Amino acid sequence: MIWIKKGIQQPVVTILLFIALSLAGVFSYFEMDKQEDPEFLVNGVAIVTAYPGAGSEKVEQLVTNVLEKKIRTVSEVQNIESFSLPNASALFVTFKEGNNLEKAQQKVKEQVDQAKKLLPEEATEPEIKTDLSEMAFMIVHLSQDGQINHEELKEKANDLQKRFDRVTGVKRTEILGLADQRVEINVDIPKLKSLGLSWLQVMQVLQKNHVQIPEGTLKGNEKKNVLSVGGLGNPDQIANLPVFQDPKSGKQLVVKDFAKVKWGYEKESTKILTGEKQSVAIIVYVDYHVDARKTGEELRKAYQSWQKELPKQYTGKVVFDQSESVNKKFHELYRELGVGILVVIVICLLGLAVRSALITSLSVPVTVCISLFFLNLWGVSLHQISIASIILVLGILVDDSIVSNENIERHLTENGNNIGNIIKAVYEVTPSIIVATLTIVVGFAPLYFLEGDTGRFIHSIPQVIIVTLLVSLLVSLFFIPALRARFGLKGQAKESEWLLRGWSVLQSKYEQLATKTLKRAPLWIAIFFGVSTALLALLPLLQVQFFPKADGRSQLVVDIRLPQGSSLEQTERVVKKVREIVKHDKAIDFDIAYLGQLMPRIYYNEKPIDRGESVGQMMLHLNETGVKETEKVVDRLNEQLKGKFPKDTRVLVRQFEQGPPIEAPIQIRMKGENLAQLQKISEDVKRELDGLAHITQTQSSFGRKTSEVFVIPDKEKSLKYGIFPQDIALNHRFALEGIEVGKAFIENESFPVLLKANQSPRNIEELGEFWVSAVFPNGQSQYVHLNQIAKISTVQTVPQITHYNGERQAVVTAYVDNNQMVPQVTKKVQERLKALEEKWPSGYQWTMEGQEEQRTQAFESMYKFYVLSILLIFVLVFIQFRSFWKLIVIMTAIYMAMSGAILSLYLTNQPLGFMALLGMIGLGGVVVRNGMMLVEFADNALDRGQGLKDALIQAGRLRLRPILLTSLSAVGGLTPLAIIGGNLFRPLAVTMIGGLLYSTALTLLAVPALYYVIARKKEKRNA
């Protein structure tokens, strides 16, 4: 208390201190990171390993199992999900919450390094991806009219990439869609055979010509390193490279005598389209800790200068620019913030004298500015969640100043115009202001410890609320009284007559209502609680939702997933068919497509790691009309696409969604050891889901069975020719994919040099007729057809094998055509699965995941935090009043607030989701303060000797103005969020507005009535 007294006695010093902190907050605003969404760190790592030529079972056995075994030894690992595919293995490792992410990733890297030694020689080095949260900031597509010139296209793309790299804040850039150039040596096998040579000998000679070995140091007067260097050179140089010399004629054989050497390109495994044109994508990733608006402006300047220099046959197009979304989102949020501040000021002007109202209103900008200073120190960024959180507490943070200033006004009017009365007035309300503020803080504070994806998403909400409310507490106890001491004593401000008359009428009406209520207190208590309890019956009627769609965005996504094992050509046909259907829609501005991979991550909760020839994704860019009616556009397009593709092909148009990432609303995992049995079970489950209403787009992780060619050597026959299984495998690689024999170094660039057969086998018959060669120790070569020394057969295999924590799994996913039906559909799916499980062999089990499961887990965590926050509020209220019965009286406000919140959600047709539940948690602390003010003033009146009924009526009459003003200011601050705040925050705002209005109306009558009944019983007991 002594510090409050000193602050009021030296008002100029106090005011200057708060002005300095406010200026520090203004400067902090310009320093703070400004992004559209919170930084969504993925708590894990991905490991991708290529194993060319291997089937899914071989990849599982020789690569996936080896890596999983090593990684499981890391104590920080929570889950490992792996996918064994033909030619590749992909692992996704999730860490336990609370661990140091970098440390855990480093431990995984160390285990992968150890596992490298155990992998097959043909497998590539595992690629470890640690920054899974990285988001594309800008994407530019570059296309060319007519025949594509790869070299020119690469040159133009590289030019833009270099310009982007020079922009401050750019983390990295990459180019997608450019086929990697290489030198191809296409060997004519019959010609080589006629020369009595084997391609194996050619390979050895070429490898010996490619050398770069540090051999040691010359240790003379001046030390010099010795390095033997031999490059393979350009195609012409390789073509004229001597490889053999005829011992009889002495004639040298060069590569071009039996092979054609030319520039070539890697096999196309991905493709990018802008409309119908094949394109190259230049992608920019920026550091999260920048002002996205400024960085976007600099990137656009770089793009525009580059575009002006493009030849006519080239077209550059910015297909995604996050800074546009950031600018739009900040404009909307600042508009809501401005409207909220204006509403709060108007409410203050309507409830207080002009000078008093203006002084109180100053608390809003001062609190916000000082809060920005401390939030910046805490590392909080400005984005849609943190700014909306400021709007959320806008009306609440002025409450303390209203209570403080209103009490100062009353004391100055009744007891005289001096600093002593200001100090006395502040002292009187300080305990209740502190406890009331802390009750709101503890209502939200437990959410800071919410773990998982949901906790990371809303992490800034408790941070903002804690800081702003604590700052508002200091403003109400120091800054506002100092302003009154410095400027509020010169000619006491008089309230206007209409304002005095208005409050007088309200107070009189309240007195009459309170008197009638207290006369029949038990009856009214029963009515109040009966109505509140009846309103809880509306709970089952509310729509249930986890997180809403992301509204206001100009992008739609089309997910395209063919069954595993499908080719890139098949995926491209589906993409083109989709485009033919959607391109005529009037809401679509343009479209792009990525084949063989998903788009770069452009939204914080997307997972763009999925790759493979059966995967495709389109982005439809909406015009202004489309943005306004996004849901209608999605429904219309999905209806047009319905039934146009096979059932096992997923084509789904969707909006981005708020909240943590979810793959599909319905996701079922089945585990078991036998692949054939597991596939049968997954097909049964998929068939069962297809028969349920509202289920659509079902898919199994197994995909379609694919044919795999098995070559089984006849060891006796092959030994006659000096050929071993390893030789056969090497010959296959040479014939089908080619073998890298070195690098060609040209103008500071290196290009792989590939040795391959000029004609690759296209079917089993041609594979059987392919010449297999070997080299004897005496240098002679041997040729034999493959079908002479091996048996060739085809076997049906699964194209993908999924593991979850080391166990084989099948995953069936599905969508629901009506998002509101997800809980009901999930329940029906669970019932069907329980019936199916009875028919399964022992050892096969299922677990349910997806949207409903994640929602249930998040809600369970929220319920725990809700109970914790209520208990903390209990403790704080008890500390102030030291009475259990008074505690019960005050806490009735929470019960009534919950009823009001449910009623408001029902009347406004808002869903009961995570954000609505968040609003209910916050309501507890907000509504309790009204009851505390009533009880505190009633206690003070009783201490002065007033009767019980008179004390309660007087307490309600005196606190009517601050209670109504604080509640209305809170409602006013929340109103912009409820009206124009978007799908994410509207349920939260509606919940708090409904709870506040209902609770405030009943608290003014229910709290005195309950206090009266309990106090009378205690009096009778003590008499």
mmCIF file with all atom_site columns, all heavy atoms in Angstrom, residues 901-918:
data_model
loop_
_atom_site.group_PDB
_atom_site.id
_atom_site.type_symbol
_atom_site.label_atom_id
_atom_site.label_alt_id
_atom_site.label_comp_id
_atom_site.label_asym_id
_atom_site.label_entity_id
_atom_site.label_seq_id
_atom_site.pdbx_PDB_ins_code
_atom_site.Cartn_x
_atom_site.Cartn_y
_atom_site.Cartn_z
_atom_site.occupancy
_atom_site.B_iso_or_equiv
_atom_site.pdbx_formal_charge
_atom_site.auth_seq_id
_atom_site.auth_comp_id
_atom_site.auth_asym_id
_atom_site.auth_atom_id
_atom_site.pdbx_PDB_model_num
ATOM 1   N N   . ALA A 1 901 ? -23.849 -18.686 -21.252 1.00 0.00 ? 901 ALA A N   1
ATOM 2   C CA  . ALA A 1 901 ? -22.978 -18.972 -22.390 1.00 0.00 ? 901 ALA A CA  1
ATOM 3   C C   . ALA A 1 901 ? -23.618 -20.002 -23.321 1.00 0.00 ? 901 ALA A C   1
ATOM 4   O O   . ALA A 1 901 ? -23.607 -19.848 -24.554 1.00 0.00 ? 901 ALA A O   1
ATOM 5   C CB  . ALA A 1 901 ? -21.632 -19.492 -21.890 1.00 0.00 ? 901 ALA A CB  1
ATOM 6   N N   . ILE A 1 902 ? -24.203 -21.043 -22.733 1.00 0.00 ? 902 ILE A N   1
ATOM 7   C CA  . ILE A 1 902 ? -24.854 -22.084 -23.544 1.00 0.00 ? 902 ILE A CA  1
ATOM 8   C C   . ILE A 1 902 ? -26.056 -21.509 -24.279 1.00 0.00 ? 902 ILE A C   1
ATOM 9   O O   . ILE A 1 902 ? -26.282 -21.808 -25.464 1.00 0.00 ? 902 ILE A O   1
ATOM 10  C CB  . ILE A 1 902 ? -25.263 -23.267 -22.639 1.00 0.00 ? 902 ILE A CB  1
ATOM 11  C CG1 . ILE A 1 902 ? -24.001 -23.990 -22.136 1.00 0.00 ? 902 ILE A CG1 1
ATOM 12  C CG2 . ILE A 1 902 ? -26.174 -24.234 -23.381 1.00 0.00 ? 902 ILE A CG2 1
ATOM 13  C CD1 . ILE A 1 902 ? -24.249 -24.974 -21.035 1.00 0.00 ? 902 ILE A CD1 1
ATOM 14  N N   . LEU A 1 903 ? -26.825 -20.653 -23.597 1.00 0.00 ? 903 LEU A N   1
ATOM 15  C CA  . LEU A 1 903 ? -27.982 -20.016 -24.233 1.00 0.00 ? 903 LEU A CA  1
ATOM 16  C C   . LEU A 1 903 ? -27.540 -19.155 -25.420 1.00 0.00 ? 903 LEU A C   1
ATOM 17  O O   . LEU A 1 903 ? -28.160 -19.193 -26.497 1.00 0.00 ? 903 LEU A O   1
ATOM 18  C CB  . LEU A 1 903 ? -28.724 -19.158 -23.208 1.00 0.00 ? 903 LEU A CB  1
ATOM 19  C CG  . LEU A 1 903 ? -29.913 -18.337 -23.744 1.00 0.00 ? 903 LEU A CG  1
ATOM 20  C CD1 . LEU A 1 903 ? -30.995 -19.271 -24.293 1.00 0.00 ? 903 LEU A CD1 1
ATOM 21  C CD2 . LEU A 1 903 ? -30.481 -17.423 -22.665 1.00 0.00 ? 903 LEU A CD2 1
ATOM 22  N N   . SER A 1 904 ? -26.472 -18.392 -25.251 1.00 0.00 ? 904 SER A N   1
ATOM 23  C CA  . SER A 1 904 ? -26.010 -17.514 -26.329 1.00 0.00 ? 904 SER A CA  1
ATOM 24  C C   . SER A 1 904 ? -25.520 -18.312 -27.529 1.00 0.00 ? 904 SER A C   1
ATOM 25  O O   . SER A 1 904 ? -25.753 -17.936 -28.683 1.00 0.00 ? 904 SER A O   1
ATOM 26  C CB  . SER A 1 904 ? -24.910 -16.586 -25.822 1.00 0.00 ? 904 SER A CB  1
ATOM 27  O OG  . SER A 1 904 ? -23.758 -17.320 -25.435 1.00 0.00 ? 904 SER A OG  1
ATOM 28  N N   . LEU A 1 905 ? -24.834 -19.436 -27.285 1.00 0.00 ? 905 LEU A N   1
ATOM 29  C CA  . LEU A 1 905 ? -24.378 -20.288 -28.385 1.00 0.00 ? 905 LEU A CA  1
ATOM 30  C C   . LEU A 1 905 ? -25.571 -20.858 -29.145 1.00 0.00 ? 905 LEU A C   1
ATOM 31  O O   . LEU A 1 905 ? -25.568 -20.937 -30.380 1.00 0.00 ? 905 LEU A O   1
ATOM 32  C CB  . LEU A 1 905 ? -23.502 -21.426 -27.853 1.00 0.00 ? 905 LEU A CB  1
ATOM 33  C CG  . LEU A 1 905 ? -22.104 -21.062 -27.348 1.00 0.00 ? 905 LEU A CG  1
ATOM 34  C CD1 . LEU A 1 905 ? -21.442 -22.267 -26.696 1.00 0.00 ? 905 LEU A CD1 1
ATOM 35  C CD2 . LEU A 1 905 ? -21.223 -20.541 -28.476 1.00 0.00 ? 905 LEU A CD2 1
ATOM 36  N N   . TYR A 1 906 ? -26.596 -21.230 -28.403 1.00 0.00 ? 906 TYR A N   1
ATOM 37  C CA  . TYR A 1 906 ? -27.791 -21.812 -29.032 1.00 0.00 ? 906 TYR A CA  1
ATOM 38  C C   . TYR A 1 906 ? -28.531 -20.771 -29.863 1.00 0.00 ? 906 TYR A C   1
ATOM 39  O O   . TYR A 1 906 ? -28.934 -21.032 -31.014 1.00 0.00 ? 906 TYR A O   1
ATOM 40  C CB  . TYR A 1 906 ? -28.713 -22.371 -27.942 1.00 0.00 ? 906 TYR A CB  1
ATOM 41  C CG  . TYR A 1 906 ? -30.008 -22.947 -28.477 1.00 0.00 ? 906 TYR A CG  1
ATOM 42  C CD1 . TYR A 1 906 ? -30.024 -24.204 -29.080 1.00 0.00 ? 906 TYR A CD1 1
ATOM 43  C CD2 . TYR A 1 906 ? -31.190 -22.225 -28.384 1.00 0.00 ? 906 TYR A CD2 1
ATOM 44  C CE1 . TYR A 1 906 ? -31.211 -24.730 -29.585 1.00 0.00 ? 906 TYR A CE1 1
ATOM 45  C CE2 . TYR A 1 906 ? -32.375 -22.741 -28.877 1.00 0.00 ? 906 TYR A CE2 1
ATOM 46  C CZ  . TYR A 1 906 ? -32.379 -23.991 -29.480 1.00 0.00 ? 906 TYR A CZ  1
ATOM 47  O OH  . TYR A 1 906 ? -33.543 -24.511 -29.983 1.00 0.00 ? 906 TYR A OH  1
ATOM 48  N N   . LEU A 1 907 ? -28.707 -19.568 -29.319 1.00 0.00 ? 907 LEU A N   1
ATOM 49  C CA  . LEU A 1 907 ? -29.457 -18.526 -30.011 1.00 0.00 ? 907 LEU A CA  1
ATOM 50  C C   . LEU A 1 907 ? -28.745 -18.014 -31.259 1.00 0.00 ? 907 LEU A C   1
ATOM 51  O O   . LEU A 1 907 ? -29.380 -17.629 -32.242 1.00 0.00 ? 907 LEU A O   1
ATOM 52  C CB  . LEU A 1 907 ? -29.740 -17.356 -29.064 1.00 0.00 ? 907 LEU A CB  1
ATOM 53  C CG  . LEU A 1 907 ? -30.701 -17.646 -27.901 1.00 0.00 ? 907 LEU A CG  1
ATOM 54  C CD1 . LEU A 1 907 ? -30.812 -16.429 -26.998 1.00 0.00 ? 907 LEU A CD1 1
ATOM 55  C CD2 . LEU A 1 907 ? -32.081 -18.067 -28.407 1.00 0.00 ? 907 LEU A CD2 1
ATOM 56  N N   . THR A 1 908 ? -27.413 -18.004 -31.220 1.00 0.00 ? 908 THR A N   1
ATOM 57  C CA  . THR A 1 908 ? -26.645 -17.492 -32.360 1.00 0.00 ? 908 THR A CA  1
ATOM 58  C C   . THR A 1 908 ? -26.190 -18.598 -33.308 1.00 0.00 ? 908 THR A C   1
ATOM 59  O O   . THR A 1 908 ? -25.460 -18.337 -34.267 1.00 0.00 ? 908 THR A O   1
ATOM 60  C CB  . THR A 1 908 ? -25.414 -16.716 -31.868 1.00 0.00 ? 908 THR A CB  1
ATOM 61  O OG1 . THR A 1 908 ? -24.612 -17.577 -31.028 1.00 0.00 ? 908 THR A OG1 1
ATOM 62  C CG2 . THR A 1 908 ? -25.816 -15.477 -31.080 1.00 0.00 ? 908 THR A CG2 1
ATOM 63  N N   . ASN A 1 909 ? -26.577 -19.849 -33.003 1.00 0.00 ? 909 ASN A N   1
ATOM 64  C CA  . ASN A 1 909 ? -26.237 -21.006 -33.844 1.00 0.00 ? 909 ASN A CA  1
ATOM 65  C C   . ASN A 1 909 ? -24.720 -21.174 -33.994 1.00 0.00 ? 909 ASN A C   1
ATOM 66  O O   . ASN A 1 909 ? -24.222 -21.523 -35.060 1.00 0.00 ? 909 ASN A O   1
ATOM 67  C CB  . ASN A 1 909 ? -26.885 -20.876 -35.230 1.00 0.00 ? 909 ASN A CB  1
ATOM 68  C CG  . ASN A 1 909 ? -26.927 -22.202 -35.971 1.00 0.00 ? 909 ASN A CG  1
ATOM 69  O OD1 . ASN A 1 909 ? -27.070 -23.263 -35.358 1.00 0.00 ? 909 ASN A OD1 1
ATOM 70  N ND2 . ASN A 1 909 ? -26.774 -22.165 -37.286 1.00 0.00 ? 909 ASN A ND2 1
ATOM 71  N N   . GLN A 1 910 ? -24.007 -20.918 -32.911 1.00 0.00 ? 910 GLN A N   1
ATOM 72  C CA  . GLN A 1 910 ? -22.561 -21.101 -32.901 1.00 0.00 ? 910 GLN A CA  1
ATOM 73  C C   . GLN A 1 910 ? -22.221 -22.478 -32.327 1.00 0.00 ? 910 GLN A C   1
ATOM 74  O O   . GLN A 1 910 ? -22.897 -22.955 -31.413 1.00 0.00 ? 910 GLN A O   1
ATOM 75  C CB  . GLN A 1 910 ? -21.877 -20.012 -32.076 1.00 0.00 ? 910 GLN A CB  1
ATOM 76  C CG  . GLN A 1 910 ? -21.942 -18.634 -32.687 1.00 0.00 ? 910 GLN A CG  1
ATOM 77  C CD  . GLN A 1 910 ? -21.238 -18.560 -34.022 1.00 0.00 ? 910 GLN A CD  1
ATOM 78  O OE1 . GLN A 1 910 ? -20.107 -18.992 -34.162 1.00 0.00 ? 910 GLN A OE1 1
ATOM 79  N NE2 . GLN A 1 910 ? -21.922 -18.007 -35.014 1.00 0.00 ? 910 GLN A NE2 1
ATOM 80  N N   . PRO A 1 911 ? -21.172 -23.118 -32.840 1.00 0.00 ? 911 PRO A N   1
ATOM 81  C CA  . PRO A 1 911 ? -20.842 -24.467 -32.374 1.00 0.00 ? 911 PRO A CA  1
ATOM 82  C C   . PRO A 1 911 ? -20.131 -24.471 -31.018 1.00 0.00 ? 911 PRO A C   1
ATOM 83  O O   . PRO A 1 911 ? -19.472 -23.498 -30.645 1.00 0.00 ? 911 PRO A O   1
ATOM 84  C CB  . PRO A 1 911 ? -19.907 -24.990 -33.465 1.00 0.00 ? 911 PRO A CB  1
ATOM 85  C CG  . PRO A 1 911 ? -19.252 -23.756 -34.002 1.00 0.00 ? 911 PRO A CG  1
ATOM 86  C CD  . PRO A 1 911 ? -20.279 -22.672 -33.923 1.00 0.00 ? 911 PRO A CD  1
ATOM 87  N N   . LEU A 1 912 ? -20.285 -25.571 -30.321 1.00 0.00 ? 912 LEU A N   1
ATOM 88  C CA  . LEU A 1 912 ? -19.523 -25.781 -29.089 1.00 0.00 ? 912 LEU A CA  1
ATOM 89  C C   . LEU A 1 912 ? -18.205 -26.435 -29.493 1.00 0.00 ? 912 LEU A C   1
ATOM 90  O O   . LEU A 1 912 ? -18.145 -27.629 -29.760 1.00 0.00 ? 912 LEU A O   1
ATOM 91  C CB  . LEU A 1 912 ? -20.286 -26.677 -28.120 1.00 0.00 ? 912 LEU A CB  1
ATOM 92  C CG  . LEU A 1 912 ? -19.552 -27.030 -26.818 1.00 0.00 ? 912 LEU A CG  1
ATOM 93  C CD1 . LEU A 1 912 ? -19.300 -25.794 -25.981 1.00 0.00 ? 912 LEU A CD1 1
ATOM 94  C CD2 . LEU A 1 912 ? -20.353 -28.063 -26.017 1.00 0.00 ? 912 LEU A CD2 1
ATOM 95  N N   . GLY A 1 913 ? -17.168 -25.635 -29.583 1.00 0.00 ? 913 GLY A N   1
ATOM 96  C CA  . GLY A 1 913 ? -15.861 -26.129 -29.990 1.00 0.00 ? 913 GLY A CA  1
ATOM 97  C C   . GLY A 1 913 ? -14.797 -25.720 -28.989 1.00 0.00 ? 913 GLY A C   1
ATOM 98  O O   . GLY A 1 913 ? -15.093 -25.272 -27.875 1.00 0.00 ? 913 GLY A O   1
ATOM 99  N N   . PHE A 1 914 ? -13.567 -25.852 -29.418 1.00 0.00 ? 914 PHE A N   1
ATOM 100 C CA  . PHE A 1 914 ? -12.447 -25.564 -28.520 1.00 0.00 ? 914 PHE A CA  1
ATOM 101 C C   . PHE A 1 914 ? -12.465 -24.106 -28.065 1.00 0.00 ? 914 PHE A C   1
ATOM 102 O O   . PHE A 1 914 ? -12.266 -23.813 -26.887 1.00 0.00 ? 914 PHE A O   1
ATOM 103 C CB  . PHE A 1 914 ? -11.126 -25.875 -29.234 1.00 0.00 ? 914 PHE A CB  1
ATOM 104 C CG  . PHE A 1 914 ? -9.919  -25.659 -28.370 1.00 0.00 ? 914 PHE A CG  1
ATOM 105 C CD1 . PHE A 1 914 ? -9.463  -26.669 -27.543 1.00 0.00 ? 914 PHE A CD1 1
ATOM 106 C CD2 . PHE A 1 914 ? -9.249  -24.455 -28.373 1.00 0.00 ? 914 PHE A CD2 1
ATOM 107 C CE1 . PHE A 1 914 ? -8.357  -26.471 -26.735 1.00 0.00 ? 914 PHE A CE1 1
ATOM 108 C CE2 . PHE A 1 914 ? -8.140  -24.244 -27.572 1.00 0.00 ? 914 PHE A CE2 1
ATOM 109 C CZ  . PHE A 1 914 ? -7.697  -25.258 -26.756 1.00 0.00 ? 914 PHE A CZ  1
ATOM 110 N N   . MET A 1 915 ? -12.712 -23.176 -28.996 1.00 0.00 ? 915 MET A N   1
ATOM 111 C CA  . MET A 1 915 ? -12.670 -21.761 -28.637 1.00 0.00 ? 915 MET A CA  1
ATOM 112 C C   . MET A 1 915 ? -13.838 -21.376 -27.734 1.00 0.00 ? 915 MET A C   1
ATOM 113 O O   . MET A 1 915 ? -13.691 -20.528 -26.842 1.00 0.00 ? 915 MET A O   1
ATOM 114 C CB  . MET A 1 915 ? -12.661 -20.906 -29.904 1.00 0.00 ? 915 MET A CB  1
ATOM 115 C CG  . MET A 1 915 ? -11.456 -21.130 -30.801 1.00 0.00 ? 915 MET A CG  1
ATOM 116 S SD  . MET A 1 915 ? -9.866  -20.952 -29.965 1.00 0.00 ? 915 MET A SD  1
ATOM 117 C CE  . MET A 1 915 ? -9.727  -19.170 -29.851 1.00 0.00 ? 915 MET A CE  1
ATOM 118 N N   . ALA A 1 916 ? -15.009 -21.982 -27.928 1.00 0.00 ? 916 ALA A N   1
ATOM 119 C CA  . ALA A 1 916 ? -16.140 -21.719 -27.037 1.00 0.00 ? 916 ALA A CA  1
ATOM 120 C C   . ALA A 1 916 ? -15.829 -22.217 -25.627 1.00 0.00 ? 916 ALA A C   1
ATOM 121 O O   . ALA A 1 916 ? -16.129 -21.545 -24.629 1.00 0.00 ? 916 ALA A O   1
ATOM 122 C CB  . ALA A 1 916 ? -17.394 -22.398 -27.569 1.00 0.00 ? 916 ALA A CB  1
ATOM 123 N N   . LEU A 1 917 ? -15.214 -23.382 -25.554 1.00 0.00 ? 917 LEU A N   1
ATOM 124 C CA  . LEU A 1 917 ? -14.826 -23.927 -24.247 1.00 0.00 ? 917 LEU A CA  1
ATOM 125 C C   . LEU A 1 917 ? -13.781 -23.024 -23.590 1.00 0.00 ? 917 LEU A C   1
ATOM 126 O O   . LEU A 1 917 ? -13.791 -22.816 -22.368 1.00 0.00 ? 917 LEU A O   1
ATOM 127 C CB  . LEU A 1 917 ? -14.268 -25.338 -24.425 1.00 0.00 ? 917 LEU A CB  1
ATOM 128 C CG  . LEU A 1 917 ? -14.108 -26.184 -23.164 1.00 0.00 ? 917 LEU A CG  1
ATOM 129 C CD1 . LEU A 1 917 ? -15.430 -26.346 -22.442 1.00 0.00 ? 917 LEU A CD1 1
ATOM 130 C CD2 . LEU A 1 917 ? -13.520 -27.535 -23.502 1.00 0.00 ? 917 LEU A CD2 1
ATOM 131 N N   . LEU A 1 918 ? -12.893 -22.475 -24.398 1.00 0.00 ? 918 LEU A N   1
ATOM 132 C CA  . LEU A 1 918 ? -11.895 -21.533 -23.897 1.00 0.00 ? 918 LEU A CA  1
ATOM 133 C C   . LEU A 1 918 ? -12.581 -20.306 -23.289 1.00 0.00 ? 918 LEU A C   1
ATOM 134 O O   . LEU A 1 918 ? -12.176 -19.799 -22.237 1.00 0.00 ? 918 LEU A O   1
ATOM 135 C CB  . LEU A 1 918 ? -10.979 -21.113 -25.039 1.00 0.00 ? 918 LEU A CB  1
ATOM 136 C CG  . LEU A 1 918 ? -9.736  -20.292 -24.698 1.00 0.00 ? 918 LEU A CG  1
ATOM 137 C CD1 . LEU A 1 918 ? -8.774  -21.092 -23.844 1.00 0.00 ? 918 LEU A CD1 1
ATOM 138 C CD2 . LEU A 1 918 ? -9.048  -19.836 -25.969 1.00 0.00 ? 918 LEU A CD2 1
#
